[in-house]
Amino acid sequence: MKLLRFLLVFGITVFIAYFLDHKIPLGEKPIPPLGKILNPFQGLWQSGEGENFQNQTLTHHSLSDDVRIVYDQRKVPHIYASNLEDALFAQGYVEAADRLFQLDFSTRATAGRLSEILGKKMLDYDKERRRFGMTLAAENAVQGWKKHTELFGTIEKYCDGINAYIDGLSPNEYSVEHKLLGIKPEKWTPFRSALFFKSMAEVLCSRETDVASSNSLKYFGKEIFQDLYPEINEKESPIIPKNTKWTFKSLFTEEGDLLEELSYYEDLRTSRPNEGIGSNNWAVDATKSASGYPIFCNDPHLGLSLPSIWYELHIHTPEINAYGVSFPGMPGIMIGFNDDIAWGETNVGHDVMDWYEIKWVDEKKEQYYYDDEKKDIELKIEKFKTREGEVFYDTIRHTVWGPITYEGVDEEYKDLAMRWIAHDEPLQPEFMTFVNALSCKNYKEYLKATEVYSAPAQNFAFASKEGDIALRVNGHLPMKKNQQGRFVSSGDQSMNAWKGFIPRSQNPQVLNPERGFISSANQRSADIDYPYYYNGGFEDYRGRSVNQHLENMENITAEDMKNLQWNSLNIKAQEAYPLMMNLLSDVNKYNHKEILKKLENWDFYYRQDSEAAMVFEFWWQEFYKGTWDEIYEIQDSIKILYPEAWRTIEILRDHPTHQFFDIVSTDMVETATQVCNNSFMKAMDRYKDRVEKNKGVTWGDYRKINIMHNLDVPAFSVMNIVTDGHPSSINATNWSFGPSWRMIVELGESPKAQGIFPGGQSGNPSSPYYKYSIEEWSKGEYHTLEFPHDPDEIEALFEIKMTSNE
């Protein structure tokens, strides 16, 4: 009996020990080993971050002199160093201290290595990252950077700082996420910085519609295609003002047109950048400001996450006194200001990713035709390890164009190779772009400092206390013939390649325009008289709204700029609503008097408390789907383009009997009148459903923003945020993206700046500085950005003192 009791107790003990030391299989998300998580010495208890910070010291051989880092009351580090290299070492250190898991996880994701830590459910995601050539792009970047030996040492110093923090960690000090996943942080290298840089390239310059455009042209034919998908919106207000006189002619004169011989292509791409991602920046000169100095503003619209993609910091050396935000993983300040200038970027949107159909020699797919010759495929074997201990392989074929990212599933579809600018080896050390900017004092210096930038192309905006305002479309822009890159091209002829790049001096740019302001909001770079052809994806409403407001504003103050960044006017609604109302039947008007009265009194601002905004959004969504029902119905069998909103409104205005207003599921022939009334009734049904289910009927009730943790852990996320804005408004917010950093800088003898991002400096979910500014951000509030030359002027939270041991 005693033996049986002993065996029973022993068995239970062994079971508990095993249970606490191993993952618990529970569906797709197994519970991590509870013993390791609850361990009081190394578990989650040791990952907390309270409010009582202690001063710290660090000695490291990479430093050449002392560095003092003073954290202010929002946990923003102010780095005081005697030279740039030590300052960048310190930047790497503080970013790792606050964002180590973000650094580690984001680059593993870009490299296609999530299966190693999350399991084989991530295998398809990982394969697509490798087939996209993300590691290839990073490898090529580092290869190019290393050719600039002295400058390469700059990014190595930054990496040394990250590694100094990692080396000082014991397992009990690992992040909560590292402990939950049971992994160790990996050493940082320039390759990992390149991976992060290329992940932003994927977000910002991998948008293309080659397959959908080709399919649409073949499906509809040339006449309908040109009707539904024109490239130019006549109401567009381009970044470089219309009627700008170009002082050069195109170096590329080859003509092009819509393709004649077409195939259908299968769209196998599973991940695409969010269509709403974009940004605003603008600056007004002394003639329009109340202070007599320029005012500079920037608010990039990116996916919102916790921790934020941005990290706020101040860098001070004898040559530099700069403040702004960085991307953790890259040295320097991407959007910011110093004592003399302010700078920032928005995305350009030019199409720099093109697809080429490969003509195989035979079914073995070992050779392909290129300029009437047979070329051998280069094979690259990719290895994938999984958390479960399994190993998988994928063979990727590489061509002169790039990797064959997607292979057709049957003979009807074609294999497509990717030509993407992000794969190119950079000729210049592009990582220095946002380091060089730190010390610039005027536009001449800034223009030269940012010449090293290549991709993803950005609208670099600038203002200085000297009074200059300027904007340059900066980066490599391919030279293309008309329509090139809009469709899948034949990969068997070198004549279909890009013809080099537009000379940087001929990129669209403007200095001190007569109108008194510069601006960009992801619209077209220049009007149709710009000497070079370009295609891409461009925003049609925010740029117009920004320009209309700035044109009518005088004696501008920082408060005015706050209001403009918060502005939720939707020009799309402003233009569509009266056209749709004119077609509404008397019956609908009679049956829905109260709702229509709210619409009639609406000013087209998407405020959180607006009932009319939600109602119109429902109406527009149903109207758009009702108009393009033919396109919605065939998407499962073939991927084709949806017409843009501005073209839909244009057709509604000019061609209310257009053939596409006919609803294919009915026997009668409908016009815009029937579509408007049918869609209004559907919108009313949705409205009534929300009333009956007590879901709320304001824009804020309907459109709530979720800011998710990197691992989508709800407890580490902030959800159901109510705020103003719409993707087509200046305040471009939507379900998961929005202004990820708002900044306003009043230039002058002593610059005054304000800024905010939705989150805090810390990446630790237990920290009071993790969700720090989300509520203020949702209300349109700002923090004052202080960057004193004297560190003793800062109200310190705590300090880190660094010294060299050499």
Side-chain angles (χ1 to χ4, degrees):
M1 190 66 180
K2 290 182 179 180
L3 178 61
L4 181 62
R5 189 181 299 117
F6 169 78
L7 291 175
L8 180 62
V9 172
F10 179 76
I12 293 172
T13 303
V14 170
F15 173 77
I16 293 174
Y18 180 87
F19 177 82
L20 292 175
D21 198 50
H22 289 76
K23 289 186 302 178
I24 306 167
L26 191 66
E28 292 187 357
K29 296 184 177 180
I31 299 174
L34 293 180
K36 296 178 180 178
I37 294 175
L38 301 176
N39 184 324
F41 302 105
Q42 294 186 350
L44 299 187
W45 312 108
Q46 294 295 320
S47 298
E49 181 181 283
E51 298 184 20
N52 298 317
F53 293 92
Q54 302 296 317
N55 291 339
Q56 304 168 30
T57 59
L58 173 73
T59 301
H60 201 277
H61 62 85
S62 288
L63 293 168
S64 61
D65 207 341
D66 293 347
V67 177
R68 183 180 176 188
I69 305 171
V70 183
Y71 286 82
D72 66 24
Q73 294 299 308
R74 292 191 295 110
K75 208 179 181 229
V76 175
H78 299 254
I79 298 169
Y80 292 85
S82 61
N83 59 76
L84 176 64
E85 289 73 21
D86 286 352
L88 296 181
F89 174 94
Q91 180 183 356
Y93 186 91
V94 297
E95 288 179 357
D98 276 322
R99 302 291 185 84
L100 184 56
F101 180 74
Q102 180 185 32
L103 287 164
D104 196 17
F105 181 80
S106 64
T107 49
R108 289 183 195 242
T110 304
R113 295 180 53 210
L114 290 187
S115 298
E116 296 176 16
I117 60 175
L118 299 179
K120 61 183 178 182
K121 64 186 177 186
M122 301 304 300
L123 192 59
D124 287 342
Y125 175 89
D126 286 347
K127 285 183 176 180
E128 187 172 49
R129 301 282 66 70
R130 305 275 184 96
R131 284 185 162 268
F132 236 70
M134 299 307 294
T135 53
L136 169 69
E139 289 164 357
N140 287 343
V142 174
Q143 184 172 301
W145 296 350
K146 282 184 174 179
K147 293 177 180 177
H148 305 271
T149 309
E150 288 189 21
L151 294 176
F152 190 70
T154 304
I155 197 167
E156 288 183 309
K157 282 288 185 183
Y158 173 79
C159 296
D160 287 346
I162 295 176
N163 289 325
Y165 178 76
I166 294 174
D167 291 342
L169 292 177
S170 60
N172 65 299
E173 295 171 311
Y174 290 167
S175 73
V176 172
E177 297 92 342
H178 281 103
K179 291 176 180 178
L180 285 172
L181 294 172
I183 59 174
K184 298 189 299 184
E186 295 183 332
K187 284 293 186 75
W188 198 263
T189 63
F191 173 70
R192 298 192 82 185
S193 286
L195 278 172
F196 181 84
F197 195 57
K198 296 305 176 180
S199 73
M200 292 311 302
E202 184 181 10
V203 170
L204 298 172
C205 73
S206 71
R207 305 179 198 187
E208 47 74 32
T209 58
D210 297 28
V211 166
S213 295
S214 298
N215 290 344
S216 301
L217 180 55
K218 183 173 178 62
Y219 185 82
F220 289 123
K222 187 173 182 178
E223 183 178 351
I224 293 179
F225 181 88
Q226 289 178 316
D227 181 33
L228 299 187
Y229 310 110
E231 290 190 272
I232 307 297
N233 178 359
E234 292 183 356
K235 291 187 176 182
E236 181 72 89
S237 180
I239 291 169
I240 306 304
K242 289 185 176 182
N243 302 317
T244 294
K245 302 298 181 185
W246 306 104
T247 59
F248 55 86
K249 293 183 179 180
S250 172
L251 300 178
F252 182 53
T253 58
E254 185 178 344
E255 296 295 326
D257 199 356
L258 294 181
L259 300 175
E260 298 294 340
E261 296 182 11
L262 293 163
S263 300
Y264 282 124
Y265 299 96
E266 187 170 18
D267 188 358
L268 298 175
R269 187 171 177 180
T270 58
S271 61
R272 291 183 179 275
N274 192 315
E275 288 300 319
I277 286 177
S279 305
N280 305 320
N281 62 19
W282 63 79
V284 297
D285 68 15
T287 67
K288 291 184 76 71
S289 75
S291 67
Y293 286 98
I295 303 176
F296 181 90
C297 305
N298 202 172
D299 55 301
H301 312 144
L302 297 170
L304 303 180
S305 63
L306 283 172
S308 168
I309 194 170
W310 300 108
Y311 186 77
E312 203 172 331
L313 77 162
H314 168 210
I315 297 176
H316 184 282
T317 73
E319 298 79 25
I320 295 167
N321 188 42
Y323 191 110
V325 286
S326 71
F327 282 141
M330 291 295 294
I333 291 176
M334 283 66 189
I335 299 174
F337 59 96
N338 61 28
D339 290 323
D340 301 290
I341 71 170
W343 66 91
E345 306 80 39
T346 67
N347 197 40
V348 167
H350 287 212
D351 179 9
V352 292
M353 175 186 282
D354 290 342
W355 296 92
Y356 290 84
E357 179 185 333
I358 298 303
K359 311 290 186 183
W360 296 111
V361 171
D362 56 40
E363 61 185 15
K364 293 181 181 179
K365 298 186 178 183
E366 296 173 350
Q367 292 183 311
Y368 61 99
Y369 290 109
Y370 185 76
D371 284 345
D372 300 323
E373 294 182 0
K374 297 177 181 179
K375 290 189 73 73
D376 291 334
I377 279 289
E378 179 185 340
L379 297 178
K380 185 175 182 180
I381 310 298
E382 295 285 356
K383 183 178 181 180
F384 301 86
K385 298 178 181 178
T386 72
R387 187 181 179 99
E388 295 84 357
E390 299 177 82
V391 177
F392 296 87
Y393 297 90
D394 189 24
T395 301
I396 303 175
R397 296 174 169 85
H398 285 256
T399 70
V400 294
W401 307 106
I404 297 178
T405 308
Y406 305 110
E407 300 185 26
V409 296
D410 54 47
E411 294 181 0
E412 181 181 353
Y413 291 96
K414 314 298 180 183
D415 293 334
L416 302 181
M418 173 200 291
R419 170 68 178 103
W420 188 27
I421 199 168
H423 290 156
D424 292 0
E425 180 181 314
L427 300 178
Q428 298 291 332
E430 56 194 346
F431 62 85
M432 288 297 295
T433 304
F434 304 108
V435 175
N436 292 339
L438 301 176
S439 58
C440 293
K441 297 183 183 303
N442 53 54
Y443 188 54
K444 183 178 180 181
E445 291 182 8
Y446 181 75
L447 203 63
K448 182 178 179 181
T450 54
E451 287 280 352
V452 298
Y453 188 79
S454 56
Q458 299 286 288
N459 300 303
F460 278 48
F462 169 93
S464 73
K465 71 179 184 182
E466 291 181 351
D468 288 329
I469 59 171
L471 190 149
R472 172 168 66 166
V473 178
N474 197 23
H476 287 161
L477 305 178
M479 282 197 288
K480 298 180 177 183
K481 61 185 178 183
N482 185 35
Q483 302 301 305
Q484 184 179 2
R486 228 183 143 187
F487 310 96
V488 176
S489 299
S490 177
D492 62 349
Q493 297 293 324
S494 61
M495 63 181 290
N496 293 328
W498 301 341
K499 307 304 179 186
F501 297 98
I502 297 172
R504 192 68 59 99
S505 62
Q506 296 180 3
N507 279 15
Q509 52 195 300
V510 65
L511 171 65
N512 296 326
E514 290 183 9
R515 65 185 183 180
F517 68 90
I518 54 99
S519 73
S520 71
N522 314 116
Q523 71 268 47
R524 291 186 67 86
S525 300
D527 205 7
I528 56 175
D529 58 354
Y530 176 63
Y532 293 94
Y533 170 79
Y534 63 94
N535 67 301
F538 305 104
E539 216 285 328
D540 296 291
Y541 297 102
R542 276 187 291 108
R544 289 168 57 194
S545 189
V546 169
N547 290 346
Q548 287 173 14
H549 280 88
L550 291 177
E551 284 168 1
N552 295 319
M553 294 171 71
E554 301 294 338
N555 296 313
I556 297 170
T557 65
E559 196 64 29
D560 295 327
M561 297 293 88
K562 286 183 184 179
N563 292 334
L564 190 54
Q565 286 189 333
W566 185 248
N567 186 287
S568 63
L569 173 66
N570 185 348
I571 293 180
K572 179 175 72 176
Q574 191 176 47
E575 294 179 345
Y577 168 77
L579 300 174
M580 295 164 70
M581 272 300 298
N582 285 342
L583 298 178
L584 202 61
S585 70
D586 291 338
V587 173
N588 268 326
K589 290 178 180 179
Y590 180 81
N591 290 337
H592 304 284
K593 289 179 182 178
E594 291 186 14
I595 292 295
L596 289 173
K597 186 175 182 180
K598 292 176 181 178
L599 283 171
E600 288 165 6
N601 294 327
W602 184 38
D603 58 3
F604 309 107
Y605 279 71
Y606 274 66
R607 299 184 183 91
Q608 58 188 274
D609 60 355
S610 173
E611 195 170 330
M614 188 198 74
V615 170
F616 179 77
E617 193 69 12
F618 287 174
W619 190 8
W620 169 258
Q621 290 170 0
E622 297 299 335
F623 172 75
Y624 186 88
K625 286 190 288 186
T627 301
W628 306 115
D629 54 325
E630 299 93 335
I631 295 176
Y632 277 91
E633 286 189 4
I634 64 172
Q635 288 297 332
D636 288 340
S637 57
I638 181 173
K639 180 70 174 179
I640 63 175
L641 289 173
Y642 291 102
E644 293 191 66
W646 69 265
R647 181 55 182 155
T648 304
I649 296 169
E650 204 172 57
I651 292 173
L652 172 62
R653 182 193 67 202
D654 299 335
H655 308 286
T657 60
H658 196 284
Q659 68 185 79
F660 277 88
F661 286 124
D662 182 31
I663 301 172
V664 294
S665 61
T666 69
D667 293 332
M668 68 178 292
V669 178
E670 288 88 359
T671 66
T673 299
Q674 285 79 33
V675 175
C676 271
N677 282 277
N678 290 346
S679 58
F680 182 78
M681 289 187 286
K682 290 180 179 179
M684 290 300 95
D685 288 341
R686 291 172 63 180
Y687 175 84
K688 291 174 185 175
D689 182 67
R690 293 188 67 85
V691 172
E692 291 171 359
K693 294 179 179 177
N694 199 28
K695 291 183 177 180
V697 292
T698 66
W699 176 241
D701 292 327
Y702 169 66
R703 199 288 314 275
K704 292 183 171 68
I705 294 174
N706 294 329
I707 305 181
M708 302 301 294
H709 179 266
N710 294 146
L711 293 176
D712 283 342
V713 178
F716 296 167
S717 307
V718 178
M719 294 178 280
N720 298 318
I721 300 167
V722 176
T723 188
D724 290 6
H726 183 276
S728 296
S729 302
I730 296 174
N731 184 17
T733 56
N734 212 6
W735 308 98
S736 61
F737 70 84
S740 56
W741 165 246
R742 293 188 181 112
M743 184 184 78
I744 298 169
V745 183
E746 298 174 271
L747 279 302
E749 290 306 316
S750 180
K752 298 177 183 178
Q754 302 174 72
I756 194 167
F757 61 73
Q761 290 289 94
S762 178
N764 188 334
S766 70
S767 169
Y769 300 96
Y770 178 68
K771 306 173 183 178
Y772 189 80
S773 298
I774 291 178
E775 184 177 354
E776 293 90 338
W777 172 86
S778 72
K779 297 176 181 177
E781 298 174 358
Y782 293 74
H783 299 299
T784 299
L785 309 181
E786 304 283 2
F787 68 133
H789 287 258
D790 183 354
D792 291 328
E793 294 181 21
I794 300 167
E795 185 182 354
L797 185 67
F798 69 101
E799 294 189 20
I800 300 176
K801 292 183 178 179
M802 296 180 167
T803 58
S804 172
N805 61 2
E806 289 283 308

